[in-house]
Amino acid sequence: MSATSTEPIPGTLAESEGRLQAVIDTAVDGIVIINRRGIVEVFNPACEALFGYRADEVVGRNVAMLMPSPYREEHDGYLGNYRATGVRKIIGIGREVVGRRKDGTTFPMELSVGEAMRGDDASFVGIIRDITARKHAEAALRDREARLRAIFETLSDAVVIIDENGLIEQFSPAAQRLFGYTPEEVVGRNVAILMPSPYHERHDGYLAHYRATGEKRIIGIGRVVVARRKDGTTFPIELSVGEMRVDDRRSFIGFIRDITERQGAERRLHELQGELLHSSRLSTMGQMASALAHELNQPLTAVINYAQASRRLLGAGAGEDKLSPIIDKMVGQANRAGQIIRRLRDFLEKGETDRRLESINKVVEEATALALVGVKATGVKIRIEIAADLPRVMIDKIQIQQVVLNLVRNAVEAMEHAERRELAIITALNDDREIETAVIDSGPGLAPEVAAQLFQPFVSTKAKGMGLGLSICRTIIEAHGGRLAAGAQPDGGTAFRFTLPPGQADDDV
Ligand code: ADP
């Protein structure tokens, strides 16, 4: 083949037309050129593949054959309208339309139309892309979205999704019921509004810490924490947080279960306190306590009997010789009672304890949330004030949780009939550099008949009270090298405070 005779000469019209033809022939997109009356002039190979027509079946015919009804019938009208008014419906604008194949089937396509002028004669160039696959993908995505939305809408757990700055993105219907907020009120706001102090103030810091260090405090770990409703009341929740990444954006999804409800509360309480109650030490302690209570009955009854006998003998004018042996026996029985109590104390003090360096704040938070389970939170305002940078304490976490649990439960019970029900739980470093935890209520204060022997076993004002809680608490605290004491509040309530020595001076958190 001779280059001089067949190849167009560079720079000539023939050469540029040849190049254009090559582009049209090899384009991946379908290219259709029609004249101003809608008659097809060019139908490229990509179009043949798309529509199933050969070019010679289409060229010279009306482009409407490539459209399904009703466009098929209306297309001439569109063109006529454009010729008459110059109003463009599609030219220069990419659009999604439907194409019709030779076999009558249709497919979604993206069409962009340009107008080309050749002298006075206009023609239109249509570029066509089959978007069936994209449409399928979109439909699948919509389907997935719809499913996710249905899950989101119907899940009994509340779901709150936040962005990495803590701003609420989504708030499920269950969350609306739980917190009393509508999505309009919370979307775009900081999730901290759903938390009482001090988490309210600290949450931004937690998130920043996580962003900076990647250290997870709650993500991926279920935890019992305290939440706050729109009306300011607080309630315990079980929170699990997951992390999601969508298009390189990080969000957090929180699943929230209210654990206040009466229904099932006992069961849940049981589950949650599993760690506490099923801990072998504490259940042994519980069994031991009731066995001891039973055992104590005997010497106490004996003491009472001897005391009554002494009074009778005294009334009958008996002398020391008769009274002395009875009093000895009385002392002996009282000593036995004392031994029984000491056995309990020894058990608590010497029994295997599992001490580790812990954050008192964490222990207090968890125990408080647990203590609130089953408590009708409505009306009880809970304030938790937690000091930052407290030294860690060397404690048996379960025992100290038991102490906090007891104090909080006692406080809530004391306030049952009080008009003002406010509970404050505060951790702080006192002047002696000890870690002090206070549980302060706005109840009626200590009953005078128990105040003096509050920490003695079997001292109770409650019909079903064992009167063991505070004595066990004090024993636990003292075994940890701390002190537990109660005091009256100026407004009539009661404050229980316990101290714990710092673990290691350099081990601050
Ligand atoms: P129990 O709860 O079984 O009675 P405790 O040893 O825990 O045993 O408490 C002993 C008593 O101390 C209670 O019966 C109650 O009279 C009193 N008490 C404890 N905490 C408080 C409080 N926060 N306010 C008033 N009285 C309290």
Side-chain angles (χ1 to χ4, degrees):
M1 202 187 282
S2 151
T4 43
S5 61
T6 54
E7 297 240 325
I9 300 149
T12 62
L13 195 64
E15 191 240 15
S16 70
E17 266 188 5
R19 218 178 312 155
L20 203 62
Q21 190 62 49
V23 170
I24 290 173
D25 286 348
T26 54
V28 182
D29 289 338
I31 299 175
V32 183
I33 301 179
I34 60 172
N35 69 16
R36 57 205 307 250
R37 286 178 311 283
I39 303 303
V40 177
E41 293 178 343
V42 172
F43 193 74
N44 77 342
C47 270
E48 292 183 321
L50 272 177
F51 290 91
Y53 285 111
R54 282 192 325 272
D56 62 0
E57 292 175 294
V58 184
V59 171
R61 294 182 59 190
N62 195 312
V63 72
M65 68 186 285
L66 304 175
M67 306 167 192
S69 290
Y71 316 106
R72 194 185 188 106
E73 292 75 26
E74 290 168 2
H75 194 257
D76 284 350
Y78 295 153
L79 279 177
N81 194 36
Y82 174 58
R83 280 199 303 270
T85 64
V87 176
R88 297 170 169 195
K89 289 242 169 105
I90 185 160
I91 298 154
I93 313 159
R95 265 182 62 172
E96 283 182 23
V97 293
V98 181
R100 183 178 185 279
R101 298 192 189 91
K102 184 178 178 181
D103 65 8
T105 56
T106 57
F107 63 98
M109 61 186 220
E110 196 174 69
L111 172 68
S112 32
V113 181
E115 189 176 8
M117 293 303 290
R118 263 183 309 191
D120 277 348
D121 205 13
S123 54
F124 303 100
V125 182
I127 314 260
I128 295 163
R129 183 169 293 176
D130 184 354
I131 52 171
T132 309
R134 196 174 87 195
K135 284 279 162 197
H136 277 317
E138 278 174 11
L141 193 68
R142 269 201 306 277
D143 186 50
R144 253 205 333 265
E145 261 180 23
R147 271 177 222 225
L148 280 176
R149 180 145 293 280
I151 293 172
F152 183 73
E153 304 272 327
T154 52
L155 211 61
S156 63
D157 280 6
V159 181
V160 178
I161 301 178
I162 60 170
D163 69 13
E164 65 173 344
N165 296 314
L167 303 184
I168 296 175
E169 292 181 331
Q170 290 195 52
F171 201 66
S172 79
Q176 295 162 37
R177 287 192 294 276
L178 201 57
F179 288 94
Y181 283 110
T182 62
E184 294 73 38
E185 289 172 309
V186 290
V187 169
R189 291 183 64 190
N190 196 309
V191 71
I193 58 169
L194 307 178
M195 306 165 192
S197 285
Y199 316 106
H200 181 84
E201 292 76 18
R202 302 221 167 136
H203 194 257
D204 283 350
Y206 293 154
L207 274 178
H209 179 84
Y210 175 60
R211 282 197 304 266
T213 65
E215 188 192 323
K216 295 176 179 179
R217 294 244 168 112
I218 188 158
I219 297 155
I221 312 159
R223 262 183 74 174
V224 174
V225 293
V226 186
R228 182 178 180 279
R229 297 189 186 86
K230 185 181 176 183
D231 65 10
T233 53
T234 44
F235 61 107
I237 58 167
E238 198 173 53
L239 172 68
S240 31
V241 180
E243 186 177 340
M244 334 185 260
R245 260 176 204 279
V246 181
D247 295 339
D248 246 17
R249 250 169 24 88
R250 183 154 54 176
S251 1
F252 301 103
I253 177 162
F255 293 93
I256 296 160
R257 183 171 298 174
D258 183 358
I259 48 176
T260 322
E261 310 116 50
R262 282 263 145 216
Q263 185 204 15
E266 292 313 314
R267 183 181 51 79
R268 275 232 42 76
L269 179 64
H270 210 68
E271 278 171 24
L272 288 163
Q273 288 185 327
E275 200 197 353
L276 284 174
L277 299 179
H278 293 156
S279 123
S280 58
R281 246 168 315 123
L282 280 170
S283 53
T284 319
M285 199 164 92
Q287 282 163 14
M288 184 141 168
S290 54
L292 288 178
H294 194 72
E295 255 187 73
L296 270 174
N297 239 346
Q298 261 184 305
L300 288 178
T301 314
V303 168
I304 292 167
N305 287 342
Y306 287 130
Q308 283 166 347
S310 308
R311 186 195 277 148
R312 265 201 316 277
L313 284 169
L314 267 176
E320 200 193 327
D321 55 326
K322 289 237 166 177
L323 280 168
S324 205
I326 293 183
I327 290 173
D328 286 347
K329 281 184 181 158
M330 201 153 52
V331 170
Q333 288 295 335
N335 277 336
R336 215 186 114 202
Q339 268 168 11
I340 293 169
I341 303 293
R342 267 192 299 282
R343 255 184 26 222
L344 177 63
R345 292 182 65 118
D346 284 355
F347 173 78
L348 286 166
E349 280 164 22
K350 300 202 189 90
E352 357 81 77
T353 59
D354 183 12
R355 293 199 187 166
R356 291 161 204 262
L357 275 178
E358 305 273 1
S359 146
I360 189 73
N361 288 341
K362 220 172 135 200
V363 173
V364 164
E365 279 165 31
E366 286 174 6
T368 303
L370 281 176
L372 294 177
V373 173
V375 169
K376 280 216 178 85
T378 28
V380 180
K381 284 227 168 78
I382 295 143
R383 184 162 57 90
I384 304 178
E385 266 178 44
I386 275 170
D389 304 326
L390 281 181
R392 288 207 276 184
V393 282
M394 190 60 147
I395 55 167
D396 185 315
K397 185 174 158 184
I398 292 174
Q399 289 189 342
I400 301 299
Q401 277 188 338
Q402 187 72 22
V403 171
V404 178
L405 200 71
N406 258 307
L407 297 180
V408 173
R409 288 230 154 214
N410 274 347
V412 171
E413 274 176 36
M415 293 188 291
E416 202 178 340
H417 303 293
E419 209 165 282
R420 194 165 56 87
R421 281 183 263 170
E422 287 172 17
L423 177 64
I425 298 150
I426 303 168
T427 62
L429 201 62
N430 70 14
D431 295 341
D432 297 328
R433 271 195 69 76
E434 292 166 319
I435 292 90
E436 188 172 288
T437 304
V439 177
I440 305 169
D441 65 60
S442 61
L446 296 169
E449 68 268 27
V450 299
Q453 307 152 298
L454 200 58
F455 297 99
Q456 298 300 316
F458 312 110
V459 171
S460 176
T461 52
K462 297 169 195 169
K464 287 189 180 159
M466 283 270 279
L468 275 173
L470 287 177
S471 76
I472 292 177
C473 286
R474 179 174 261 185
T475 307
I476 289 173
I477 294 300
E478 288 178 353
H480 279 82
R483 295 181 313 280
L484 168 65
Q489 284 293 100
D491 63 359
T494 312
F496 280 85
R497 291 173 205 278
F498 67 84
T499 60
L500 290 167
Q504 278 163 293
D506 58 348
D507 212 326
D508 286 8
V509 274

